[in-house]
Amino acid sequence: MASLTKRDLVVRISNETGLIQKEVLNVIQKSLDYVVEALAEGRNVELRNFGVFEVVLRKGRVGRNPKRPE
């Protein structure tokens, strides 16, 4: 199953709306920047009918390198 990239979104939105791809990219990037900024400030981000993003702190755990024998 292929991924949907930011570039794919830009092309599709541009084709469907007639907006210039650079303008669409700027809007998408600025939106993502604001989401990241809010999360970095400890705030939750709720996009109705899409999802809720929040930072969750978890206890650390020991990682293991599968290429190195124990």
Side-chain angles (χ1 to χ4, degrees), residues 19-58:
L19 295 171
I20 297 169
Q21 286 185 16
K22 183 150 181 78
E23 293 173 345
V24 174
L25 175 61
N26 288 340
V27 170
I28 290 174
Q29 187 59 55
K30 190 53 80 174
S31 300
L32 294 174
D33 290 346
Y34 287 138
V35 169
V36 170
E37 180 182 301
L39 292 171
E41 293 171 355
R43 298 177 3 215
N44 291 348
V45 176
E46 180 180 341
L47 303 175
R48 304 263 176 181
N49 299 319
F50 184 74
V52 176
F53 301 86
E54 60 187 354
V55 176
V56 177
L57 297 178
R58 297 188 178 162

